[in-house]
Amino acid sequence: MTPKILIIGACGQIGSELTFKLREIYGDKNVIASDISYSNLEIVNSGIFEILDAEDYAAIKVCVEKHDINTVYLMAAILSATGEKYPMKAWNLNMNSLFHVLNLAKAKFIKKVFWPSSIAVFGTTTPKKNTPQFTVMEPSTVYGITKQVGERWCEYYHNKYAVDIRSVRYPGIISWKTMPGGGTTDYAVEIYHKAITDKKYECFLKEDTALPMMFMDDAIKATVDIMSADNEDIKIRSSYNLSAISFTPKELAESIKQEIPDFTITYNPDFRQAIANSWPKSIDDSNAREDWNWKHKFSLQDITKEMLKQLGEKYKNQS
Ligand code: AKB
């Protein structure tokens, strides 16, 4: 099956880079980008783009039929920090959009679905180190609840209606092209911007808060890999643990100091500290490594070098 792809939420941090990668692989005319507004002009102007509300079933169905779509990547979501401010908005967007896409697959309008879950499915009662694939899951954020419930529905639709759904639990994603929005792990992107512009950063998490993280290129590779794996190799239909590296804000600051010796960091924890405290410090992703050969590439120092190089050029071109 040649994928004819619709990306819902293509203007966001992961959606935008996924759109470019999928267009590179499958060709511009086979990848339709969509979002609720024209918030990322690079994406809007880079190929076919549709305005689409992820909560509008009829509109998604029209778009799927118009472009003869067989594969949907549902990237629209309200993340952990924003979800705490707007709980019902987060619940409605995160759950309604998932049901719409699952129901389109159940009704055979589409054949394959990618839906991202998150390390936010875990909670304070989960083992924190090397968190297993199958373990206690009592998420304490609205975002985490939507992802945990979403995982159950994905598995249910696969078992009951044979929906080909594939999912990974993303850790914090570090990237330079598009800013993240509304997450707890966002500090790990903001810090690089401030390192370039101000040589200092005030972190909203404590210095010893270890969290699982990953460079965008690895996250995109995982997404492409799981979607192109053979059907029988995908043994988990809720969501796969996915891991690359783990670090604390202090360790991240040290790695920046290796490149910018006069960079300084201060700490002023806010409400996001409690969210970070409820999440794992590191993740056991051996199921993904065994089932579909997942492997990450970027170490912390690789990421720091690449982030500072790319952002350095970006800010130089703007001035
Ligand atoms: C967040 O911080 O909310 C997200 C996530 C870990 O899913 N980046």
Short mmCIF file of all heavy atoms in Angstrom, two decimals, residues 172-225:
data_model
loop_
_atom_site.label_atom_id
_atom_site.label_comp_id
_atom_site.label_asym_id
_atom_site.label_seq_id
_atom_site.Cartn_x
_atom_site.Cartn_y
_atom_site.Cartn_z
N GLY A 172 10.56 13.74 26.52
CA GLY A 172 10.71 15.14 26.11
C GLY A 172 11.49 15.20 24.81
O GLY A 172 12.49 14.50 24.66
N ILE A 173 11.02 16.01 23.87
CA ILE A 173 11.67 16.06 22.55
C ILE A 173 12.40 17.40 22.38
O ILE A 173 11.80 18.47 22.55
CB ILE A 173 10.64 15.89 21.41
CG1 ILE A 173 9.79 14.62 21.63
CG2 ILE A 173 11.34 15.86 20.05
CD1 ILE A 173 10.53 13.32 21.52
N ILE A 174 13.69 17.30 22.00
CA ILE A 174 14.52 18.50 21.85
C ILE A 174 14.72 18.80 20.37
O ILE A 174 15.17 17.92 19.62
CB ILE A 174 15.89 18.26 22.52
CG1 ILE A 174 15.66 17.90 24.00
CG2 ILE A 174 16.77 19.49 22.40
CD1 ILE A 174 16.90 17.46 24.71
N SER A 175 14.37 20.02 19.97
CA SER A 175 14.47 20.37 18.55
C SER A 175 14.73 21.85 18.39
O SER A 175 14.46 22.64 19.30
CB SER A 175 13.18 20.01 17.83
OG SER A 175 12.13 20.84 18.29
N TRP A 176 15.24 22.26 17.22
CA TRP A 176 15.57 23.67 17.00
C TRP A 176 14.67 24.35 15.98
O TRP A 176 14.60 25.56 15.94
CB TRP A 176 17.04 23.81 16.59
CG TRP A 176 17.44 23.00 15.40
CD1 TRP A 176 17.92 21.72 15.41
CD2 TRP A 176 17.37 23.38 14.03
NE1 TRP A 176 18.16 21.29 14.12
CE2 TRP A 176 17.84 22.30 13.26
CE3 TRP A 176 16.96 24.55 13.36
CZ2 TRP A 176 17.90 22.33 11.86
CZ3 TRP A 176 17.03 24.59 11.97
CH2 TRP A 176 17.50 23.49 11.24
N LYS A 177 13.95 23.58 15.14
CA LYS A 177 13.16 24.23 14.08
C LYS A 177 11.92 24.92 14.62
O LYS A 177 11.63 26.06 14.30
CB LYS A 177 12.76 23.19 13.02
CG LYS A 177 13.89 22.84 12.09
CD LYS A 177 13.44 22.02 10.90
CE LYS A 177 14.66 21.53 10.14
NZ LYS A 177 14.48 20.24 9.50
N THR A 178 11.13 24.19 15.43
CA THR A 178 9.87 24.72 15.95
C THR A 178 9.90 24.60 17.47
O THR A 178 10.33 23.58 18.00
CB THR A 178 8.68 23.91 15.39
OG1 THR A 178 8.81 23.86 13.97
CG2 THR A 178 7.35 24.53 15.75
N MET A 179 9.41 25.64 18.16
CA MET A 179 9.37 25.59 19.63
C MET A 179 8.31 24.59 20.10
O MET A 179 7.26 24.47 19.47
CB MET A 179 8.99 26.96 20.20
CG MET A 179 10.08 28.00 20.08
SD MET A 179 11.59 27.57 20.98
CE MET A 179 11.21 28.14 22.62
N PRO A 180 8.57 23.90 21.23
CA PRO A 180 7.50 23.10 21.82
C PRO A 180 6.49 24.06 22.46
O PRO A 180 6.81 25.23 22.66
CB PRO A 180 8.22 22.28 22.88
CG PRO A 180 9.43 23.05 23.22
CD PRO A 180 9.79 23.89 22.02
N GLY A 181 5.32 23.56 22.82
CA GLY A 181 4.35 24.47 23.43
C GLY A 181 3.57 23.79 24.53
O GLY A 181 2.87 22.80 24.30
N GLY A 182 3.72 24.28 25.76
CA GLY A 182 2.86 23.83 26.83
C GLY A 182 3.26 22.54 27.52
O GLY A 182 2.45 21.93 28.21
N GLY A 183 4.53 22.13 27.37
CA GLY A 183 4.96 20.90 28.02
C GLY A 183 5.85 21.16 29.23
O GLY A 183 6.31 22.29 29.44
N THR A 184 6.11 20.12 30.01
CA THR A 184 6.98 20.21 31.19
C THR A 184 8.44 20.06 30.79
O THR A 184 9.34 20.58 31.46
CB THR A 184 6.56 19.12 32.20
OG1 THR A 184 5.19 19.34 32.51
CG2 THR A 184 7.39 19.17 33.47
N THR A 185 8.68 19.33 29.69
CA THR A 185 10.06 19.13 29.25
C THR A 185 10.55 20.27 28.35
O THR A 185 11.68 20.22 27.87
CB THR A 185 10.17 17.79 28.47
OG1 THR A 185 9.24 17.81 27.38
CG2 THR A 185 9.87 16.60 29.37
N ASP A 186 9.72 21.30 28.16
CA ASP A 186 10.09 22.41 27.25
C ASP A 186 11.36 23.14 27.68
O ASP A 186 12.02 23.78 26.86
CB ASP A 186 8.96 23.46 27.19
CG ASP A 186 7.70 22.93 26.55
OD1 ASP A 186 7.63 21.71 26.29
OD2 ASP A 186 6.77 23.72 26.32
N TYR A 187 11.71 23.05 28.98
CA TYR A 187 12.91 23.77 29.44
C TYR A 187 14.14 23.34 28.64
O TYR A 187 15.05 24.14 28.40
CB TYR A 187 13.13 23.53 30.95
CG TYR A 187 14.02 22.36 31.27
CD1 TYR A 187 15.41 22.50 31.28
CD2 TYR A 187 13.49 21.09 31.52
CE1 TYR A 187 16.24 21.42 31.54
CE2 TYR A 187 14.31 20.01 31.77
CZ TYR A 187 15.69 20.17 31.78
OH TYR A 187 16.50 19.10 32.01
N ALA A 188 14.14 22.05 28.23
CA ALA A 188 15.32 21.51 27.56
C ALA A 188 15.48 22.03 26.13
O ALA A 188 16.48 21.75 25.48
CB ALA A 188 15.26 19.98 27.56
N VAL A 189 14.50 22.79 25.66
CA VAL A 189 14.64 23.50 24.38
C VAL A 189 14.91 24.98 24.65
O VAL A 189 15.85 25.56 24.11
CB VAL A 189 13.37 23.34 23.50
CG1 VAL A 189 13.49 24.17 22.22
CG2 VAL A 189 13.13 21.87 23.18
N GLU A 190 14.10 25.55 25.55
CA GLU A 190 14.26 26.98 25.90
C GLU A 190 15.70 27.31 26.30
O GLU A 190 16.24 28.35 25.96
CB GLU A 190 13.36 27.33 27.09
CG GLU A 190 11.89 27.43 26.77
CD GLU A 190 11.04 27.54 28.04
OE1 GLU A 190 11.58 27.82 29.14
OE2 GLU A 190 9.84 27.35 27.92
N ILE A 191 16.31 26.40 27.06
CA ILE A 191 17.66 26.65 27.60
C ILE A 191 18.67 26.93 26.48
O ILE A 191 19.54 27.78 26.62
CB ILE A 191 18.10 25.45 28.48
CG1 ILE A 191 19.34 25.78 29.31
CG2 ILE A 191 18.33 24.21 27.67
CD1 ILE A 191 19.66 24.71 30.36
N TYR A 192 18.54 26.23 25.35
CA TYR A 192 19.48 26.44 24.24
C TYR A 192 19.27 27.81 23.60
O TYR A 192 20.23 28.48 23.23
CB TYR A 192 19.32 25.34 23.19
CG TYR A 192 19.83 23.98 23.64
CD1 TYR A 192 18.95 22.94 23.93
CD2 TYR A 192 21.20 23.74 23.77
CE1 TYR A 192 19.42 21.70 24.33
CE2 TYR A 192 21.68 22.50 24.18
CZ TYR A 192 20.78 21.48 24.46
OH TYR A 192 21.25 20.26 24.86
N HIS A 193 18.00 28.21 23.46
CA HIS A 193 17.72 29.54 22.89
C HIS A 193 18.34 30.61 23.78
O HIS A 193 19.01 31.52 23.30
CB HIS A 193 16.20 29.76 22.79
CG HIS A 193 15.57 28.98 21.67
ND1 HIS A 193 15.28 29.53 20.44
CD2 HIS A 193 15.20 27.68 21.59
CE1 HIS A 193 14.76 28.61 19.65
NE2 HIS A 193 14.68 27.48 20.33
N LYS A 194 18.12 30.49 25.10
CA LYS A 194 18.65 31.50 26.04
C LYS A 194 20.17 31.44 26.11
O LYS A 194 20.82 32.47 26.33
CB LYS A 194 18.05 31.28 27.44
CG LYS A 194 16.57 31.59 27.49
CD LYS A 194 16.34 33.08 27.42
CE LYS A 194 14.86 33.40 27.45
NZ LYS A 194 14.59 34.80 27.11
N ALA A 195 20.74 30.25 25.94
CA ALA A 195 22.20 30.14 25.95
C ALA A 195 22.79 30.99 24.82
O ALA A 195 23.81 31.64 25.00
CB ALA A 195 22.63 28.68 25.81
N ILE A 196 22.13 30.98 23.68
CA ILE A 196 22.61 31.75 22.53
C ILE A 196 22.33 33.24 22.72
O ILE A 196 23.20 34.07 22.50
CB ILE A 196 21.89 31.28 21.23
CG1 ILE A 196 22.12 29.81 20.98
CG2 ILE A 196 22.29 32.17 20.03
CD1 ILE A 196 23.26 29.44 20.10
N THR A 197 21.08 33.58 23.13
CA THR A 197 20.70 35.00 23.15
C THR A 197 21.19 35.73 24.40
O THR A 197 21.55 36.89 24.34
CB THR A 197 19.17 35.16 23.05
OG1 THR A 197 18.56 34.43 24.14
CG2 THR A 197 18.62 34.66 21.73
N ASP A 198 21.20 35.05 25.59
CA ASP A 198 21.48 35.76 26.85
C ASP A 198 22.66 35.17 27.65
O ASP A 198 23.02 35.73 28.68
CB ASP A 198 20.26 35.70 27.79
CG ASP A 198 19.02 36.31 27.18
OD1 ASP A 198 19.09 36.72 26.01
OD2 ASP A 198 17.98 36.37 27.87
N LYS A 199 23.12 34.01 27.24
CA LYS A 199 24.17 33.28 27.98
C LYS A 199 23.75 32.94 29.40
O LYS A 199 24.58 32.67 30.27
CB LYS A 199 25.49 34.06 27.99
CG LYS A 199 26.10 34.14 26.61
CD LYS A 199 27.57 34.36 26.69
CE LYS A 199 28.13 34.26 25.30
NZ LYS A 199 29.26 35.01 25.02
N LYS A 200 22.45 33.00 29.68
CA LYS A 200 21.97 32.57 31.01
C LYS A 200 20.52 32.10 30.88
O LYS A 200 19.82 32.48 29.93
CB LYS A 200 22.09 33.71 32.02
CG LYS A 200 21.31 34.94 31.70
CD LYS A 200 21.43 35.93 32.83
CE LYS A 200 20.42 37.01 32.56
NZ LYS A 200 20.61 38.30 32.87
N TYR A 201 20.11 31.27 31.84
CA TYR A 201 18.75 30.71 31.77
C TYR A 201 18.23 30.48 33.18
O TYR A 201 18.96 29.98 34.05
CB TYR A 201 18.76 29.39 31.00
CG TYR A 201 17.41 28.71 30.93
CD1 TYR A 201 16.35 29.33 30.29
CD2 TYR A 201 17.19 27.47 31.53
CE1 TYR A 201 15.09 28.72 30.23
CE2 TYR A 201 15.95 26.85 31.47
CZ TYR A 201 14.91 27.48 30.82
OH TYR A 201 13.68 26.89 30.77
N GLU A 202 16.96 30.87 33.40
CA GLU A 202 16.30 30.55 34.68
C GLU A 202 15.39 29.35 34.43
O GLU A 202 14.44 29.44 33.65
CB GLU A 202 15.50 31.74 35.19
CG GLU A 202 14.91 31.43 36.56
CD GLU A 202 14.19 32.62 37.15
OE1 GLU A 202 14.84 33.46 37.81
OE2 GLU A 202 12.95 32.70 36.96
N CYS A 203 15.70 28.24 35.12
CA CYS A 203 15.00 26.98 34.86
C CYS A 203 13.80 26.83 35.79
O CYS A 203 13.90 27.10 36.98
CB CYS A 203 15.97 25.82 35.08
SG CYS A 203 15.26 24.24 34.64
N PHE A 204 12.66 26.36 35.23
CA PHE A 204 11.46 26.19 36.05
C PHE A 204 11.40 24.83 36.75
O PHE A 204 10.41 24.49 37.40
CB PHE A 204 10.18 26.47 35.24
CG PHE A 204 10.03 25.62 33.99
CD1 PHE A 204 9.65 24.28 34.07
CD2 PHE A 204 10.23 26.17 32.74
CE1 PHE A 204 9.48 23.50 32.94
CE2 PHE A 204 10.06 25.40 31.58
CZ PHE A 204 9.68 24.07 31.68
N LEU A 205 12.48 24.02 36.58
CA LEU A 205 12.60 22.76 37.33
C LEU A 205 13.84 22.82 38.21
O LEU A 205 14.78 23.57 37.91
CB LEU A 205 12.72 21.57 36.38
CG LEU A 205 11.54 21.29 35.45
CD1 LEU A 205 11.83 20.05 34.60
CD2 LEU A 205 10.23 21.09 36.23
N LYS A 206 13.87 22.02 39.28
CA LYS A 206 15.05 21.96 40.16
C LYS A 206 16.23 21.31 39.44
O LYS A 206 16.03 20.48 38.55
CB LYS A 206 14.73 21.13 41.41
CG LYS A 206 13.82 21.82 42.38
CD LYS A 206 13.81 20.97 43.66
CE LYS A 206 12.57 21.24 44.46
NZ LYS A 206 12.20 20.13 45.33
N GLU A 207 17.43 21.61 39.93
CA GLU A 207 18.65 21.18 39.22
C GLU A 207 18.81 19.66 39.11
O GLU A 207 19.44 19.16 38.19
CB GLU A 207 19.90 21.77 39.88
CG GLU A 207 20.12 21.32 41.33
CD GLU A 207 21.45 21.84 41.87
OE1 GLU A 207 21.94 22.87 41.40
OE2 GLU A 207 22.00 21.17 42.77
N ASP A 208 18.20 18.91 40.05
CA ASP A 208 18.42 17.46 40.05
C ASP A 208 17.21 16.67 39.49
O ASP A 208 17.06 15.49 39.77
CB ASP A 208 18.73 16.99 41.47
CG ASP A 208 17.61 17.36 42.44
OD1 ASP A 208 16.69 18.12 42.03
OD2 ASP A 208 17.63 16.88 43.58
N THR A 209 16.36 17.33 38.69
CA THR A 209 15.16 16.66 38.16
C THR A 209 15.50 15.89 36.88
O THR A 209 15.53 16.46 35.79
CB THR A 209 14.07 17.71 37.84
OG1 THR A 209 13.96 18.62 38.94
CG2 THR A 209 12.73 17.05 37.57
N ALA A 210 15.76 14.60 37.03
CA ALA A 210 16.10 13.78 35.84
C ALA A 210 14.83 13.40 35.09
O ALA A 210 13.84 12.97 35.69
CB ALA A 210 16.85 12.53 36.27
N LEU A 211 14.86 13.58 33.76
CA LEU A 211 13.72 13.19 32.91
C LEU A 211 14.24 12.52 31.63
O LEU A 211 15.30 12.88 31.14
CB LEU A 211 12.89 14.42 32.53
CG LEU A 211 12.02 15.04 33.61
CD1 LEU A 211 11.44 16.37 33.13
CD2 LEU A 211 10.90 14.09 34.03
N PRO A 212 13.44 11.60 31.08
CA PRO A 212 13.83 10.99 29.80
C PRO A 212 13.64 11.99 28.66
O PRO A 212 12.62 12.68 28.59
CB PRO A 212 12.83 9.83 29.65
CG PRO A 212 12.14 9.69 30.96
CD PRO A 212 12.20 11.03 31.62
N MET A 213 14.63 12.06 27.78
CA MET A 213 14.62 13.03 26.67
C MET A 213 15.13 12.38 25.39
O MET A 213 15.79 11.34 25.43
CB MET A 213 15.55 14.21 27.00
CG MET A 213 15.16 14.99 28.24
SD MET A 213 13.91 16.23 27.88
CE MET A 213 13.80 17.00 29.50
N MET A 214 14.92 13.09 24.26
CA MET A 214 15.33 12.54 22.96
C MET A 214 15.46 13.67 21.95
O MET A 214 14.69 14.63 21.99
CB MET A 214 14.22 11.57 22.51
CG MET A 214 14.44 10.92 21.17
SD MET A 214 13.08 9.77 20.81
CE MET A 214 13.42 8.45 21.93
N PHE A 215 16.43 13.55 21.05
CA PHE A 215 16.56 14.55 19.98
C PHE A 215 15.48 14.29 18.93
O PHE A 215 15.09 13.15 18.68
CB PHE A 215 17.96 14.44 19.35
CG PHE A 215 18.32 15.61 18.49
CD1 PHE A 215 18.09 16.92 18.90
CD2 PHE A 215 18.92 15.41 17.24
CE1 PHE A 215 18.45 18.00 18.11
CE2 PHE A 215 19.28 16.49 16.44
CZ PHE A 215 19.04 17.78 16.87
N MET A 216 15.02 15.38 18.30
CA MET A 216 13.93 15.27 17.31
C MET A 216 14.24 14.25 16.22
O MET A 216 13.37 13.47 15.84
CB MET A 216 13.67 16.64 16.69
CG MET A 216 12.59 16.65 15.64
SD MET A 216 10.98 16.19 16.27
CE MET A 216 10.36 17.77 16.84
N ASP A 217 15.47 14.23 15.72
CA ASP A 217 15.78 13.30 14.62
C ASP A 217 15.53 11.85 15.05
O ASP A 217 15.06 11.04 14.25
CB ASP A 217 17.26 13.45 14.19
CG ASP A 217 17.55 14.82 13.63
OD1 ASP A 217 16.99 15.81 14.15
OD2 ASP A 217 18.34 14.92 12.67
N ASP A 218 15.86 11.54 16.31
CA ASP A 218 15.58 10.19 16.81
C ASP A 218 14.07 9.95 16.93
O ASP A 218 13.58 8.87 16.61
CB ASP A 218 16.26 9.98 18.17
CG ASP A 218 17.74 9.60 18.03
OD1 ASP A 218 18.11 9.02 16.99
OD2 ASP A 218 18.51 9.87 18.97
N ALA A 219 13.33 10.96 17.40
CA ALA A 219 11.87 10.81 17.56
C ALA A 219 11.19 10.58 16.20
O ALA A 219 10.30 9.74 16.07
CB ALA A 219 11.28 12.04 18.24
N ILE A 220 11.67 11.31 15.19
CA ILE A 220 11.09 11.16 13.85
C ILE A 220 11.44 9.77 13.30
O ILE A 220 10.60 9.09 12.71
CB ILE A 220 11.61 12.27 12.89
CG1 ILE A 220 11.16 13.65 13.41
CG2 ILE A 220 11.15 12.03 11.46
CD1 ILE A 220 9.67 13.90 13.40
N LYS A 221 12.67 9.35 13.55
CA LYS A 221 13.09 8.02 13.07
C LYS A 221 12.21 6.93 13.71
O LYS A 221 11.75 6.02 13.03
CB LYS A 221 14.57 7.79 13.40
CG LYS A 221 15.10 6.49 12.86
CD LYS A 221 16.57 6.30 13.18
CE LYS A 221 17.07 4.94 12.75
NZ LYS A 221 16.37 3.81 13.37
N ALA A 222 11.98 7.05 15.03
CA ALA A 222 11.13 6.06 15.71
C ALA A 222 9.73 6.04 15.09
O ALA A 222 9.16 4.96 14.87
CB ALA A 222 11.04 6.40 17.20
N THR A 223 9.21 7.21 14.78
CA THR A 223 7.85 7.31 14.23
C THR A 223 7.78 6.66 12.85
O THR A 223 6.86 5.89 12.54
CB THR A 223 7.43 8.80 14.16
OG1 THR A 223 7.70 9.40 15.43
CG2 THR A 223 5.98 8.96 13.80
N VAL A 224 8.77 6.98 12.02
CA VAL A 224 8.81 6.40 10.67
C VAL A 224 9.03 4.88 10.77
O VAL A 224 8.38 4.10 10.07
CB VAL A 224 9.93 7.09 9.84
CG1 VAL A 224 10.19 6.34 8.54
CG2 VAL A 224 9.57 8.54 9.57
N ASP A 225 9.93 4.46 11.65
CA ASP A 225 10.25 3.03 11.78
C ASP A 225 9.04 2.21 12.23
O ASP A 225 8.76 1.16 11.67
CB ASP A 225 11.39 2.81 12.80
CG ASP A 225 12.75 3.19 12.22
OD1 ASP A 225 12.81 3.58 11.04
OD2 ASP A 225 13.74 3.12 12.97
#
